[in-house]
Amino acid sequence: MISLASLPGGKYAVFIWPAYAATALGFAWMTLDTVLRARRWRREALALEKARGDDA
Amino acid sequence: MISSLANPLRFMRVSLWLAPVLGIGAAILIGVGLALGLAAPPDYQQGDTVWIMFVHVPAAWTAMMAYAALGAASFVSLVFRHALADQAAKAAAPLGAAFTAIALVTGSLWGRPMWGAWWVWGDARLVSVLVLFLLFLGYLALRASIDDEAKAARAAEILALVGLINLPIIHYSVEWWNTLHQGESILRKGGPALAGVYLTPLLITGLGFSLAFGALWLARIRAEVWRRRATVLALQAALK
């Protein structure tokens, strides 16, 4: 287990690394949500297009 | 460039390769910027907390850029009734909210050791950025609360345009009012107040955050185009 105090930044490490963690978390959410959303709607649209093609 | 992308088919073709290119560029610039920033010496006043600047300031810049994008897309959608502009506005809002949240959280983590407070309600810069966050949330809530998608878009676009007034307020808040937040240190008369050892990584990381917003924005607009396509196809299938 790594303690925040052992990370670079001295006495301010407890503020610095949570700030970087919050930023990483924000980027992870934005990226995951965007990729999953894009995949889901692309898959659904293509499936509906295929179903329409099969009906015709 | 932008007007040529207004054609949805062309947009889908160009964004298919442009989004990953911007994403890779963003990852490289953010990696290089943070590596340079974390190698910078402690500031003589702020010590090692200056490292927080390399994520806080780019997040704040990008949040304002996202709102400008939301406002511009809302204007084009409202005036020219362009469907892709509405999709662009809708796609910008959650990203803008996320970048603003990052700016608020990292700012609070920087403020505590420097000012002795996590948050100061009387500070114009802090409160105006909180208002920016609430504008993004309000835009998203308004769109989600009206079933008719066209009516929801119109209402949200008007809110987005009214909210544009907050951008100059954020920018000039440190000049117009007394504030704990430091004054303008990049775009100011006489040149930047930051030493090169801090300014260079800050600008690199800032460009990286901007490219990341661009990549994610394009990918979300693409998702919205697919969603509307799926909705139309589902309706057509149901009417058969």
Side-chain angles (χ1 to χ4, degrees):
Chain A
M1 188 76 175
I2 301 170
S3 77
L4 282 174
S6 68
L7 292 170
K11 62 179 178 178
Y12 297 125
V14 291
F15 301 103
I16 295 165
W17 300 111
Y20 276 78
T23 306
L25 206 65
F27 268 90
W29 175 80
M30 283 189 281
T31 307
L32 264 180
D33 185 65
T34 301
V35 169
L36 293 178
R37 192 176 290 261
R39 280 189 185 167
R40 177 196 164 191
W41 288 115
R42 182 174 182 272
R43 194 172 55 237
E44 287 203 19
L46 291 178
L48 285 163
E49 276 176 7
K50 187 171 182 295
R52 191 173 70 165
D54 289 346
D55 288 348
Chain B
M1 172 73 177
I2 289 174
S3 62
S4 71
L5 286 178
N7 178 315
L9 282 176
R10 195 174 299 134
F11 170 82
M12 292 300 273
R13 211 168 44 237
V14 172
S15 61
L16 185 63
W17 61 265
L18 188 56
V21 166
L22 290 178
I24 292 166
I28 293 169
L29 287 172
I30 292 171
V32 170
L34 290 183
L36 289 173
L38 292 172
D43 180 68
Y44 78 105
Q45 279 184 321
Q46 306 197 28
D48 286 321
T49 62
V50 75
W51 286 348
I52 298 176
M53 176 176 71
F54 302 117
V55 287
H56 169 71
V57 175
W61 284 344
T62 313
M64 291 177 71
M65 192 177 86
Y67 199 89
L70 171 64
S74 294
F75 176 79
V76 172
S77 175
L78 202 60
V79 174
F80 302 106
R81 302 283 164 137
H82 199 291
L84 199 57
D86 178 48
Q87 290 155 354
K90 191 180 176 188
L95 299 175
F99 277 110
T100 313
I102 292 172
L104 287 169
V105 170
T106 55
S108 184
L109 284 161
W110 198 3
R112 180 68 184 84
M114 291 299 102
W115 305 336
W118 297 103
W119 184 262
V120 181
W121 280 109
D123 190 287
R125 171 59 69 85
L126 272 62
V127 173
S128 57
V129 174
L130 179 65
V131 169
L132 180 72
F133 183 59
L134 295 176
L135 281 167
F136 281 124
L137 294 189
Y139 177 93
L140 290 167
L142 196 53
R143 285 202 79 123
S145 64
I146 301 173
D147 286 336
D148 184 324
E149 210 165 322
K151 282 184 183 167
R154 295 289 92 81
E157 283 156 3
I158 291 166
L159 173 68
L161 288 176
V162 171
L164 279 173
I165 191 70
N166 193 41
L167 291 185
I169 291 175
I170 293 173
H171 183 74
Y172 291 108
S173 57
V174 289
E175 293 181 22
W176 291 344
W177 294 286
N178 285 325
T179 168
L180 282 173
H181 199 281
Q182 70 184 64
E184 182 58 65
S185 36
I186 310 287
L187 299 172
R188 63 180 209 131
K189 281 181 190 168
L194 282 175
V197 71
Y198 301 122
L199 183 62
T200 304
L202 180 63
L203 293 178
I204 293 173
T205 315
L207 185 59
F209 273 52
S210 305
L211 293 191
F213 169 74
L216 292 165
W217 192 28
L218 289 179
R220 287 188 92 92
I221 300 172
R222 289 179 60 81
E224 187 61 19
V225 170
W226 283 116
R227 185 188 71 79
R228 294 201 186 182
R229 176 80 183 140
T231 306
V232 168
L233 288 168
L235 272 174
Q236 285 174 349
L239 290 172
K240 267 189 183 171

